[in-house]
Amino acid sequence: VVGEAERRERGPLTQRLRDRAAQQLIEEKCKKERISLKELQMGGRRGAISQVRSDLALKLARERGPPLAEIGRQLGVSTSAVS
């Protein structure tokens, strides 16, 4: 019972750490590509923004493993746009 409770406590913390790491990755990529984070998250379709969003979605899905819906929320697009 104690082990199960400890796993439950780690779950939300792990999720928060993953979210924080993903957000940091997104911010760094936007800064490197000179794109506003807000513009990226507003779902703009300008070529440079779409390319950055595509790169980030691929990297997040492969390396971090969060659900596609969460990646979509962080990048300002739908789940189907991420898949």
PDB file of all heavy atoms in Angstrom, residues 10-37:
ATOM      1  N   ARG A  10       4.451  10.440  -7.049  1.00  0.00           N
ATOM      2  CA  ARG A  10       5.449  10.744  -8.063  1.00  0.00           C
ATOM      3  C   ARG A  10       4.814  11.043  -9.415  1.00  0.00           C
ATOM      4  O   ARG A  10       5.368  11.779 -10.202  1.00  0.00           O
ATOM      5  CB  ARG A  10       6.435   9.582  -8.212  1.00  0.00           C
ATOM      6  CG  ARG A  10       7.520   9.643  -7.179  1.00  0.00           C
ATOM      7  CD  ARG A  10       8.566   8.607  -7.474  1.00  0.00           C
ATOM      8  NE  ARG A  10       8.331   7.506  -6.539  1.00  0.00           N
ATOM      9  CZ  ARG A  10       8.492   6.232  -6.800  1.00  0.00           C
ATOM     10  NH1 ARG A  10       8.905   5.848  -7.979  1.00  0.00           N
ATOM     11  NH2 ARG A  10       8.256   5.321  -5.911  1.00  0.00           N
ATOM     12  N   GLY A  11       3.653  10.482  -9.706  1.00  0.00           N
ATOM     13  CA  GLY A  11       3.003  10.667 -10.994  1.00  0.00           C
ATOM     14  C   GLY A  11       2.802  12.132 -11.357  1.00  0.00           C
ATOM     15  O   GLY A  11       3.320  12.590 -12.375  1.00  0.00           O
ATOM     16  N   PRO A  12       2.072  12.900 -10.558  1.00  0.00           N
ATOM     17  CA  PRO A  12       1.867  14.316 -10.898  1.00  0.00           C
ATOM     18  C   PRO A  12       3.170  15.108 -10.938  1.00  0.00           C
ATOM     19  O   PRO A  12       3.335  15.991 -11.777  1.00  0.00           O
ATOM     20  CB  PRO A  12       0.956  14.823  -9.781  1.00  0.00           C
ATOM     21  CG  PRO A  12       0.271  13.610  -9.262  1.00  0.00           C
ATOM     22  CD  PRO A  12       1.266  12.488  -9.427  1.00  0.00           C
ATOM     23  N   LEU A  13       4.106  14.791 -10.053  1.00  0.00           N
ATOM     24  CA  LEU A  13       5.388  15.486 -10.047  1.00  0.00           C
ATOM     25  C   LEU A  13       6.141  15.210 -11.343  1.00  0.00           C
ATOM     26  O   LEU A  13       6.668  16.120 -11.976  1.00  0.00           O
ATOM     27  CB  LEU A  13       6.233  15.066  -8.843  1.00  0.00           C
ATOM     28  CG  LEU A  13       7.623  15.680  -8.762  1.00  0.00           C
ATOM     29  CD1 LEU A  13       7.516  17.196  -8.658  1.00  0.00           C
ATOM     30  CD2 LEU A  13       8.383  15.125  -7.588  1.00  0.00           C
ATOM     31  N   THR A  14       6.148  13.954 -11.740  1.00  0.00           N
ATOM     32  CA  THR A  14       6.817  13.587 -12.983  1.00  0.00           C
ATOM     33  C   THR A  14       6.178  14.304 -14.159  1.00  0.00           C
ATOM     34  O   THR A  14       6.866  14.792 -15.046  1.00  0.00           O
ATOM     35  CB  THR A  14       6.763  12.056 -13.190  1.00  0.00           C
ATOM     36  OG1 THR A  14       7.346  11.426 -12.068  1.00  0.00           O
ATOM     37  CG2 THR A  14       7.499  11.648 -14.435  1.00  0.00           C
ATOM     38  N   GLN A  15       4.855  14.383 -14.169  1.00  0.00           N
ATOM     39  CA  GLN A  15       4.146  15.078 -15.238  1.00  0.00           C
ATOM     40  C   GLN A  15       4.518  16.556 -15.250  1.00  0.00           C
ATOM     41  O   GLN A  15       4.765  17.128 -16.305  1.00  0.00           O
ATOM     42  CB  GLN A  15       2.629  14.916 -15.062  1.00  0.00           C
ATOM     43  CG  GLN A  15       1.824  15.617 -16.122  1.00  0.00           C
ATOM     44  CD  GLN A  15       2.081  15.077 -17.512  1.00  0.00           C
ATOM     45  OE1 GLN A  15       2.221  13.882 -17.691  1.00  0.00           O
ATOM     46  NE2 GLN A  15       2.173  15.947 -18.487  1.00  0.00           N
ATOM     47  N   ARG A  16       4.588  17.163 -14.094  1.00  0.00           N
ATOM     48  CA  ARG A  16       4.964  18.587 -14.027  1.00  0.00           C
ATOM     49  C   ARG A  16       6.384  18.808 -14.528  1.00  0.00           C
ATOM     50  O   ARG A  16       6.670  19.776 -15.229  1.00  0.00           O
ATOM     51  CB  ARG A  16       4.807  19.126 -12.609  1.00  0.00           C
ATOM     52  CG  ARG A  16       3.382  19.461 -12.251  1.00  0.00           C
ATOM     53  CD  ARG A  16       3.361  20.140 -10.930  1.00  0.00           C
ATOM     54  NE  ARG A  16       3.768  19.155  -9.936  1.00  0.00           N
ATOM     55  CZ  ARG A  16       3.282  19.055  -8.728  1.00  0.00           C
ATOM     56  NH1 ARG A  16       2.393  19.907  -8.308  1.00  0.00           N
ATOM     57  NH2 ARG A  16       3.680  18.135  -7.905  1.00  0.00           N
ATOM     58  N   LEU A  17       7.281  17.915 -14.162  1.00  0.00           N
ATOM     59  CA  LEU A  17       8.664  18.030 -14.630  1.00  0.00           C
ATOM     60  C   LEU A  17       8.744  17.861 -16.145  1.00  0.00           C
ATOM     61  O   LEU A  17       9.470  18.582 -16.815  1.00  0.00           O
ATOM     62  CB  LEU A  17       9.551  16.988 -13.944  1.00  0.00           C
ATOM     63  CG  LEU A  17       9.818  17.203 -12.458  1.00  0.00           C
ATOM     64  CD1 LEU A  17      10.585  16.019 -11.889  1.00  0.00           C
ATOM     65  CD2 LEU A  17      10.561  18.498 -12.221  1.00  0.00           C
ATOM     66  N   ARG A  18       7.966  16.919 -16.681  1.00  0.00           N
ATOM     67  CA  ARG A  18       7.933  16.715 -18.122  1.00  0.00           C
ATOM     68  C   ARG A  18       7.364  17.945 -18.824  1.00  0.00           C
ATOM     69  O   ARG A  18       7.890  18.386 -19.848  1.00  0.00           O
ATOM     70  CB  ARG A  18       7.064  15.495 -18.457  1.00  0.00           C
ATOM     71  CG  ARG A  18       7.810  14.462 -19.212  1.00  0.00           C
ATOM     72  CD  ARG A  18       6.983  13.339 -19.739  1.00  0.00           C
ATOM     73  NE  ARG A  18       5.639  13.204 -19.261  1.00  0.00           N
ATOM     74  CZ  ARG A  18       5.133  12.088 -18.744  1.00  0.00           C
ATOM     75  NH1 ARG A  18       5.862  11.030 -18.622  1.00  0.00           N
ATOM     76  NH2 ARG A  18       3.887  12.038 -18.363  1.00  0.00           N
ATOM     77  N   ASP A  19       6.293  18.509 -18.259  1.00  0.00           N
ATOM     78  CA  ASP A  19       5.695  19.718 -18.839  1.00  0.00           C
ATOM     79  C   ASP A  19       6.679  20.874 -18.813  1.00  0.00           C
ATOM     80  O   ASP A  19       6.803  21.615 -19.784  1.00  0.00           O
ATOM     81  CB  ASP A  19       4.423  20.120 -18.083  1.00  0.00           C
ATOM     82  CG  ASP A  19       3.270  19.169 -18.333  1.00  0.00           C
ATOM     83  OD1 ASP A  19       3.360  18.339 -19.259  1.00  0.00           O
ATOM     84  OD2 ASP A  19       2.271  19.256 -17.587  1.00  0.00           O
ATOM     85  N   ARG A  20       7.378  21.010 -17.708  1.00  0.00           N
ATOM     86  CA  ARG A  20       8.359  22.087 -17.569  1.00  0.00           C
ATOM     87  C   ARG A  20       9.505  21.919 -18.567  1.00  0.00           C
ATOM     88  O   ARG A  20       9.943  22.878 -19.195  1.00  0.00           O
ATOM     89  CB  ARG A  20       8.893  22.108 -16.138  1.00  0.00           C
ATOM     90  CG  ARG A  20       9.389  23.479 -15.720  1.00  0.00           C
ATOM     91  CD  ARG A  20       9.765  23.532 -14.266  1.00  0.00           C
ATOM     92  NE  ARG A  20       8.566  23.516 -13.432  1.00  0.00           N
ATOM     93  CZ  ARG A  20       8.503  23.017 -12.200  1.00  0.00           C
ATOM     94  NH1 ARG A  20       9.567  22.494 -11.646  1.00  0.00           N
ATOM     95  NH2 ARG A  20       7.393  23.044 -11.505  1.00  0.00           N
ATOM     96  N   ALA A  21       9.967  20.696 -18.725  1.00  0.00           N
ATOM     97  CA  ALA A  21      11.050  20.422 -19.674  1.00  0.00           C
ATOM     98  C   ALA A  21      10.587  20.688 -21.102  1.00  0.00           C
ATOM     99  O   ALA A  21      11.332  21.255 -21.908  1.00  0.00           O
ATOM    100  CB  ALA A  21      11.520  18.979 -19.525  1.00  0.00           C
ATOM    101  N   ALA A  22       9.358  20.306 -21.409  1.00  0.00           N
ATOM    102  CA  ALA A  22       8.820  20.552 -22.749  1.00  0.00           C
ATOM    103  C   ALA A  22       8.692  22.052 -22.995  1.00  0.00           C
ATOM    104  O   ALA A  22       9.047  22.541 -24.078  1.00  0.00           O
ATOM    105  CB  ALA A  22       7.465  19.868 -22.908  1.00  0.00           C
ATOM    106  N   GLN A  23       8.198  22.772 -22.015  1.00  0.00           N
ATOM    107  CA  GLN A  23       8.046  24.218 -22.156  1.00  0.00           C
ATOM    108  C   GLN A  23       9.401  24.890 -22.355  1.00  0.00           C
ATOM    109  O   GLN A  23       9.544  25.790 -23.171  1.00  0.00           O
ATOM    110  CB  GLN A  23       7.328  24.809 -20.930  1.00  0.00           C
ATOM    111  CG  GLN A  23       6.962  26.261 -21.070  1.00  0.00           C
ATOM    112  CD  GLN A  23       5.971  26.490 -22.202  1.00  0.00           C
ATOM    113  OE1 GLN A  23       5.132  25.663 -22.510  1.00  0.00           O
ATOM    114  NE2 GLN A  23       6.076  27.624 -22.851  1.00  0.00           N
ATOM    115  N   GLN A  24      10.400  24.422 -21.635  1.00  0.00           N
ATOM    116  CA  GLN A  24      11.749  24.976 -21.773  1.00  0.00           C
ATOM    117  C   GLN A  24      12.302  24.702 -23.178  1.00  0.00           C
ATOM    118  O   GLN A  24      12.882  25.582 -23.801  1.00  0.00           O
ATOM    119  CB  GLN A  24      12.678  24.385 -20.722  1.00  0.00           C
ATOM    120  CG  GLN A  24      14.062  24.979 -20.740  1.00  0.00           C
ATOM    121  CD  GLN A  24      14.939  24.405 -19.629  1.00  0.00           C
ATOM    122  OE1 GLN A  24      14.542  23.504 -18.904  1.00  0.00           O
ATOM    123  NE2 GLN A  24      16.134  24.936 -19.505  1.00  0.00           N
ATOM    124  N   LEU A  25      12.068  23.507 -23.687  1.00  0.00           N
ATOM    125  CA  LEU A  25      12.505  23.159 -25.034  1.00  0.00           C
ATOM    126  C   LEU A  25      11.817  24.059 -26.072  1.00  0.00           C
ATOM    127  O   LEU A  25      12.468  24.568 -26.980  1.00  0.00           O
ATOM    128  CB  LEU A  25      12.181  21.691 -25.331  1.00  0.00           C
ATOM    129  CG  LEU A  25      12.534  21.202 -26.723  1.00  0.00           C
ATOM    130  CD1 LEU A  25      14.044  21.150 -26.906  1.00  0.00           C
ATOM    131  CD2 LEU A  25      11.925  19.839 -26.967  1.00  0.00           C
ATOM    132  N   ILE A  26      10.531  24.289 -25.899  1.00  0.00           N
ATOM    133  CA  ILE A  26       9.775  25.147 -26.814  1.00  0.00           C
ATOM    134  C   ILE A  26      10.310  26.576 -26.776  1.00  0.00           C
ATOM    135  O   ILE A  26      10.532  27.195 -27.818  1.00  0.00           O
ATOM    136  CB  ILE A  26       8.272  25.109 -26.472  1.00  0.00           C
ATOM    137  CG1 ILE A  26       7.704  23.717 -26.780  1.00  0.00           C
ATOM    138  CG2 ILE A  26       7.504  26.188 -27.223  1.00  0.00           C
ATOM    139  CD1 ILE A  26       6.317  23.472 -26.212  1.00  0.00           C
ATOM    140  N   GLU A  27      10.538  27.088 -25.585  1.00  0.00           N
ATOM    141  CA  GLU A  27      11.048  28.458 -25.448  1.00  0.00           C
ATOM    142  C   GLU A  27      12.430  28.607 -26.079  1.00  0.00           C
ATOM    143  O   GLU A  27      12.703  29.594 -26.763  1.00  0.00           O
ATOM    144  CB  GLU A  27      11.086  28.854 -23.977  1.00  0.00           C
ATOM    145  CG  GLU A  27       9.709  29.068 -23.386  1.00  0.00           C
ATOM    146  CD  GLU A  27       9.725  29.262 -21.878  1.00  0.00           C
ATOM    147  OE1 GLU A  27      10.823  29.291 -21.272  1.00  0.00           O
ATOM    148  OE2 GLU A  27       8.635  29.385 -21.304  1.00  0.00           O
ATOM    149  N   GLU A  28      13.297  27.626 -25.865  1.00  0.00           N
ATOM    150  CA  GLU A  28      14.648  27.684 -26.442  1.00  0.00           C
ATOM    151  C   GLU A  28      14.598  27.660 -27.963  1.00  0.00           C
ATOM    152  O   GLU A  28      15.322  28.410 -28.626  1.00  0.00           O
ATOM    153  CB  GLU A  28      15.489  26.518 -25.923  1.00  0.00           C
ATOM    154  CG  GLU A  28      15.903  26.650 -24.478  1.00  0.00           C
ATOM    155  CD  GLU A  28      16.571  25.399 -23.946  1.00  0.00           C
ATOM    156  OE1 GLU A  28      16.765  24.417 -24.702  1.00  0.00           O
ATOM    157  OE2 GLU A  28      16.890  25.384 -22.746  1.00  0.00           O
ATOM    158  N   LYS A  29      13.755  26.803 -28.516  1.00  0.00           N
ATOM    159  CA  LYS A  29      13.642  26.710 -29.976  1.00  0.00           C
ATOM    160  C   LYS A  29      13.089  28.007 -30.561  1.00  0.00           C
ATOM    161  O   LYS A  29      13.574  28.478 -31.587  1.00  0.00           O
ATOM    162  CB  LYS A  29      12.739  25.523 -30.342  1.00  0.00           C
ATOM    163  CG  LYS A  29      12.566  25.306 -31.818  1.00  0.00           C
ATOM    164  CD  LYS A  29      13.800  24.701 -32.441  1.00  0.00           C
ATOM    165  CE  LYS A  29      13.512  24.282 -33.873  1.00  0.00           C
ATOM    166  NZ  LYS A  29      14.670  23.783 -34.559  1.00  0.00           N
ATOM    167  N   CYS A  30      12.103  28.594 -29.901  1.00  0.00           N
ATOM    168  CA  CYS A  30      11.539  29.864 -30.378  1.00  0.00           C
ATOM    169  C   CYS A  30      12.597  30.965 -30.346  1.00  0.00           C
ATOM    170  O   CYS A  30      12.708  31.745 -31.298  1.00  0.00           O
ATOM    171  CB  CYS A  30      10.338  30.269 -29.530  1.00  0.00           C
ATOM    172  SG  CYS A  30       8.859  29.327 -29.876  1.00  0.00           S
ATOM    173  N   LYS A  31      13.361  31.001 -29.282  1.00  0.00           N
ATOM    174  CA  LYS A  31      14.410  32.014 -29.162  1.00  0.00           C
ATOM    175  C   LYS A  31      15.463  31.826 -30.249  1.00  0.00           C
ATOM    176  O   LYS A  31      15.879  32.785 -30.898  1.00  0.00           O
ATOM    177  CB  LYS A  31      15.054  31.922 -27.779  1.00  0.00           C
ATOM    178  CG  LYS A  31      15.972  33.053 -27.446  1.00  0.00           C
ATOM    179  CD  LYS A  31      16.443  32.939 -26.007  1.00  0.00           C
ATOM    180  CE  LYS A  31      17.249  34.139 -25.608  1.00  0.00           C
ATOM    181  NZ  LYS A  31      17.662  34.081 -24.208  1.00  0.00           N
ATOM    182  N   LYS A  32      15.858  30.568 -30.476  1.00  0.00           N
ATOM    183  CA  LYS A  32      16.863  30.273 -31.488  1.00  0.00           C
ATOM    184  C   LYS A  32      16.379  30.655 -32.885  1.00  0.00           C
ATOM    185  O   LYS A  32      17.133  31.181 -33.693  1.00  0.00           O
ATOM    186  CB  LYS A  32      17.191  28.777 -31.455  1.00  0.00           C
ATOM    187  CG  LYS A  32      18.212  28.347 -32.461  1.00  0.00           C
ATOM    188  CD  LYS A  32      18.455  26.852 -32.363  1.00  0.00           C
ATOM    189  CE  LYS A  32      19.383  26.400 -33.472  1.00  0.00           C
ATOM    190  NZ  LYS A  32      19.474  24.948 -33.521  1.00  0.00           N
ATOM    191  N   GLU A  33      15.113  30.398 -33.173  1.00  0.00           N
ATOM    192  CA  GLU A  33      14.552  30.670 -34.495  1.00  0.00           C
ATOM    193  C   GLU A  33      13.963  32.083 -34.616  1.00  0.00           C
ATOM    194  O   GLU A  33      13.397  32.423 -35.651  1.00  0.00           O
ATOM    195  CB  GLU A  33      13.471  29.634 -34.825  1.00  0.00           C
ATOM    196  CG  GLU A  33      13.963  28.213 -34.866  1.00  0.00           C
ATOM    197  CD  GLU A  33      14.931  27.945 -35.997  1.00  0.00           C
ATOM    198  OE1 GLU A  33      14.814  28.595 -37.053  1.00  0.00           O
ATOM    199  OE2 GLU A  33      15.806  27.074 -35.828  1.00  0.00           O
ATOM    200  N   ARG A  34      14.070  32.856 -33.538  1.00  0.00           N
ATOM    201  CA  ARG A  34      13.549  34.234 -33.503  1.00  0.00           C
ATOM    202  C   ARG A  34      12.054  34.290 -33.819  1.00  0.00           C
ATOM    203  O   ARG A  34      11.602  35.072 -34.649  1.00  0.00           O
ATOM    204  CB  ARG A  34      14.332  35.132 -34.440  1.00  0.00           C
ATOM    205  CG  ARG A  34      15.769  35.281 -34.022  1.00  0.00           C
ATOM    206  CD  ARG A  34      16.504  36.242 -34.916  1.00  0.00           C
ATOM    207  NE  ARG A  34      17.856  36.377 -34.432  1.00  0.00           N
ATOM    208  CZ  ARG A  34      18.909  36.343 -35.221  1.00  0.00           C
ATOM    209  NH1 ARG A  34      18.767  36.189 -36.506  1.00  0.00           N
ATOM    210  NH2 ARG A  34      20.108  36.477 -34.716  1.00  0.00           N
ATOM    211  N   ILE A  35      11.324  33.422 -33.143  1.00  0.00           N
ATOM    212  CA  ILE A  35       9.873  33.367 -33.287  1.00  0.00           C
ATOM    213  C   ILE A  35       9.267  33.594 -31.911  1.00  0.00           C
ATOM    214  O   ILE A  35       9.717  33.025 -30.922  1.00  0.00           O
ATOM    215  CB  ILE A  35       9.432  31.996 -33.833  1.00  0.00           C
ATOM    216  CG1 ILE A  35       9.899  31.844 -35.275  1.00  0.00           C
ATOM    217  CG2 ILE A  35       7.928  31.815 -33.734  1.00  0.00           C
ATOM    218  CD1 ILE A  35       9.619  30.505 -35.871  1.00  0.00           C
ATOM    219  N   SER A  36       8.235  34.398 -31.866  1.00  0.00           N
ATOM    220  CA  SER A  36       7.549  34.667 -30.611  1.00  0.00           C
ATOM    221  C   SER A  36       6.832  33.407 -30.128  1.00  0.00           C
ATOM    222  O   SER A  36       6.155  32.720 -30.907  1.00  0.00           O
ATOM    223  CB  SER A  36       6.532  35.791 -30.830  1.00  0.00           C
ATOM    224  OG  SER A  36       5.566  35.797 -29.829  1.00  0.00           O
ATOM    225  N   LEU A  37       6.971  33.110 -28.842  1.00  0.00           N
ATOM    226  CA  LEU A  37       6.284  31.971 -28.248  1.00  0.00           C
ATOM    227  C   LEU A  37       4.777  32.124 -28.417  1.00  0.00           C
ATOM    228  O   LEU A  37       4.072  31.175 -28.742  1.00  0.00           O
ATOM    229  CB  LEU A  37       6.663  31.845 -26.769  1.00  0.00           C
ATOM    230  CG  LEU A  37       5.978  30.737 -25.988  1.00  0.00           C
ATOM    231  CD1 LEU A  37       6.366  29.377 -26.546  1.00  0.00           C
ATOM    232  CD2 LEU A  37       6.350  30.833 -24.522  1.00  0.00           C
TER     233      LEU A  37
END
